[in-house]
Amino acid sequence: PLGGSIARETIADAFAGGDDSRFLQHVLTFAGHPVPAAASLKNIEILETERMVENSAETGAYFLDQLQELQPRHPTMGNVSGLGLLVGIDLVKDRDTKEQFLKAAKLGERLIAEFEKRSLILRPSDTSITMGPPLCITREEVDEIVTGIDEALGEVERQLAVRAD
């Protein structure tokens, strides 16, 4: 039970009350409890000592590169984008026009079934696959995910008779 918030000074001042108050007054019964404070400090220590932020940037860039390398083989892959470890793939019926599959194609359901066969827990929609793996993910684990996505997309494209140009 610990949280933080960020607000511009003009917004924070509206909640702080009083002319010389410089903090946001929001009180809960567990506010300031030492157990979540200690857990939070330990988490910050782990993030720093295990270089989780750096890993997010480096491994995220690798993840994005690997997904972009799949694009030429999969006509259903539209835009592939990401920042850090938040990455996504737009799913399209036609990459040039960005036309999407009809709901009747059940693209998301088909992909879920194929991901599950490959022990991947991804929940795509009919229009995208979004991923945000843990900050501690390794390149080997990224490779496993990318291989599973490659195989699953290939199988669903076969089912839907989608062909590469």
Side-chain angles (χ1 to χ4, degrees):
L2 187 67
S5 56
I6 300 171
R8 278 181 266 177
E9 189 173 347
T10 56
I11 294 170
D13 286 348
F15 290 93
D19 292 335
D20 55 353
S21 296
R22 285 314 209 216
F23 62 94
L24 186 64
Q25 296 178 6
H26 180 70
V27 179
L28 299 172
T29 56
F30 53 79
H33 193 282
V35 174
S40 176
L41 290 173
K42 189 62 176 179
N43 274 298
I44 292 169
E45 179 186 323
I46 291 168
L47 287 171
E48 291 174 348
T49 59
E50 295 186 16
R51 300 184 64 245
M52 298 271 186
V53 174
E54 291 87 347
N55 187 63
S56 175
E58 294 164 8
T59 308
Y62 176 76
F63 197 0
L64 189 59
D65 287 344
Q66 297 307 302
L67 290 172
Q68 288 171 337
E69 284 184 22
L70 293 182
Q71 249 180 330
R73 294 196 304 270
H74 294 288
T76 57
M77 289 180 73
N79 186 47
V80 177
S81 59
L83 179 62
L85 285 169
L86 293 175
V87 294
I89 302 168
D90 291 335
L91 299 171
V92 295
K93 185 174 183 180
D94 184 302
R95 192 178 295 151
D96 295 329
T97 65
K98 299 180 181 169
E99 176 188 0
Q100 296 178 342
F101 284 89
L102 297 174
K103 294 275 183 207
K106 298 184 179 182
L107 182 60
E109 289 179 37
R110 290 173 189 265
L111 283 169
I112 289 170
E114 292 304 320
F115 290 149
E116 287 176 354
K117 288 177 187 176
R118 291 158 180 82
S119 300
L120 291 178
I121 303 172
L122 299 176
R123 296 292 178 246
S125 69
D126 288 332
T127 60
S128 65
I129 304 169
T130 55
M131 295 161 280
L135 299 178
C136 60
I137 194 168
T138 64
R139 283 182 175 226
E140 292 76 22
E141 291 164 331
V142 166
D143 290 342
E144 186 177 337
I145 294 168
V146 170
T147 297
I149 290 171
D150 185 21
E151 292 173 359
L153 282 174
E155 176 56 26
V156 169
E157 288 166 349
R158 186 193 64 71
Q159 292 170 9
L160 296 174
V162 176
R163 305 213 187 284
D165 293 334

